[in-house]
Amino acid sequence: MQQREFIGLEDQFGAHNYKPLDVVLSRGEGVWVWDVDGNKYLDCLAAYSAVNQGHCHPEIMQAMVKQAEKLTLTSRAFRNDQLGPFYKELCELTNSHKVLPMNSGAEAVETAIKTVRKWGYTVKGVPQDKAEIIVCDDNFHGRTISIVSFSTDENARAGFGPFTPGFKLVPFDDAAALEAAITENTVAFLVEPIQGEAGVMIPPEGYLKEARTICDRHNVVLILDEIQTGLGRTGKLLAEEYEGIEADLTIIGKALSGGFYPVSAVLSNTEVMDVLQPGEHGSTFGGNPLACAVSRAALKVLFDEKLIENSYEQGKYFLGELRKISDPRIKEIRGRGLMVAIEFHPEVGGARAYCNKLKEQGVLAKDTHENIIRFAPPLVIKREEVDQILAAIKQVLAAS
Ligand SMILES: *Cc1c(COP(=O)(O)O)cnc(C)c1O
């Protein structure tokens, strides 16, 4: 079949809830993907950072196949021999006390929301149904009704009401606004350390540390959504490390499985998680042996191959080289580790058109908003591959 035939099938039979670049991929290895015609591309999205370990990593693949031959799903009605070791390894790596495994990122966010609400009622003493959670403008935490209830993106919300109450918005990177919004009914502050979908928005240094102090002062649970920033993407295991803080609840997903399988988790640093009693929350697939085996291998690869250090080093080089490009159309270049964005002046726009041109140069990147392109390749990337991305960007800028 031709690419346009595959695209036709998607358009005819699939819901139109995405507008992908028109490239039909059929194979991946490391930072590289191939389309059905055999064209090769350097993947600079890495499935929104779910493929930090690179496409089809052989060790994760082995772990998946081996486990699939033995046992895939027991449900949590029974125990399995992968769950305990998965918990232990994850807790040791992240310095956490407790883990609650789920599947998608949005489910883990929902889990954190439920947990802090219950904590508010049973521990903090918030009156029934009065719990408030503070979130930030331009957040992205997923797509469920409750999560889009506190989105400020009209595209994500319009037509989906009625919405879940109990959320309050404050500007991102404004600690004073956070403190002013807190009432005696505030149970949590939920924030991304770096806003990925908003366009790699990095708060000024000290913001998260201040948020940590404010949360402590008012007995408010700090929840960091590290689904995108976590697991090496920013050059640290967790982005919170840049500010030397620890969240009470940390949400991870995406790269937790190296892209093989949906695995997410809420990590608890304090005893917040203890409020959940048997039967109050769960998931048929959450914590299944296949997910745990895949995730254990994905975490091992992250450390064995020093991908976090590589993310830091290659990211620093990439950002440094990008900043040498002088082009009046570029408003800002920013990033941390291998989470990098080029923002064009709003009147330039056309980020999508640049992505299409980058595709012609063998680089797949994704526009976010009209004027921002994000570059987030798998963390296995090598210096010469970073140079290839840079060459493609320069080529596209020169030719347009
Ligand atoms: C991707 C993402 C989510 C949602 O994860 P899904 O697996 O798509 O449900 C939540 N928060 C952040 C920061 C994300 O990047």
Side-chain angles (χ1 to χ4, degrees), residues 104-106 140-142 192 225 227-228 254:
S104 70
F140 182 83
H141 297 288
E192 300 154 84
D225 179 346
I227 293 171
Q228 190 163 148
K254 294 204 164 115

Side-chain angles (χ1 to χ4, degrees), residues 23 68 122 162 248:
V23 57
T122 57
D248 301 302

Side-chain angles (χ1 to χ4, degrees), residues 67 71-76 80-83 86-87 101-103 261-263 283-295:
Q67 187 61 40
L71 184 67
T72 55
L73 182 63
T74 56
S75 86
R76 297 288 304 281
N80 73 72
D81 69 355
Q82 291 295 314
L83 185 61
F86 167 64
Y87 282 166
M102 296 297 280
N103 311 286
Y261 197 89
V263 187
S283 156
T284 303
F285 277 82
N288 74 71
L290 186 58
C292 292
V294 165
S295 190

